[in-house]
Amino acid sequence: VAWSFAAVLFRPVPLLEMIGDGVPLKGEQMNSQDITMVAWSYATLLAPERRVFDFLSAAAIRSIQNFNAQDLSNTAWAFATAGANATEMMNAIADEACSRPRDFNCQ
């Protein structure tokens, strides 16, 4: 749902707060695409839900080996755009990308 609103740059604050409350409850059920899309959505909408980024960062670190190249790139972009302080996760993304350079193109 968050992605849909972000795609049209519509920022329904109560909905984003409700989604933010639910993200930690999903826990281990979130896959790499879920993590990436929520991070992208919140970054695109400049949603100030730092607790969401903190949770997503921890979830990404736990499952980083399951991220494809696009998930890695989009997650790094989302956290950088949001100004989220996630040094450990960014290092994990960099390490994972370095471990499989053939998965990335020159972009």
Side-chain angles (χ1 to χ4, degrees):
V1 172
W3 179 89
S4 301
F5 286 102
V8 295
L9 300 177
F10 182 74
R11 191 170 176 249
V13 174
L15 178 63
L16 292 172
E17 289 172 353
M18 183 191 75
I19 292 169
D21 290 342
V23 165
L25 301 176
K26 289 290 186 183
E28 301 299 320
Q29 297 173 12
M30 291 186 79
N31 63 34
S32 60
Q33 186 176 17
D34 295 334
I35 294 165
T36 300
M37 293 286 45
V38 172
W40 181 88
S41 300
Y42 275 71
T44 298
L45 294 173
L46 302 174
E49 296 288 332
R50 293 296 161 217
R51 65 196 167 98
V52 172
F53 284 98
D54 290 345
F55 176 83
L56 295 174
S57 175
I61 291 168
R62 281 193 306 273
S63 61
I64 200 77
Q65 70 282 353
N66 298 321
F67 281 52
N68 64 33
Q70 185 172 356
D71 291 337
L72 292 169
S73 298
N74 289 347
T75 301
W77 175 89
F79 274 77
T81 298
N85 184 8
T87 303
E88 186 179 355
M89 186 207 64
M90 294 298 250
N91 283 330
I93 288 174
D95 291 345
E96 188 65 25
C98 287
S99 75
R100 44 186 164 127
R102 295 185 191 276
D103 290 357
F104 294 86
N105 61 35
C106 61
Q107 291 179 344

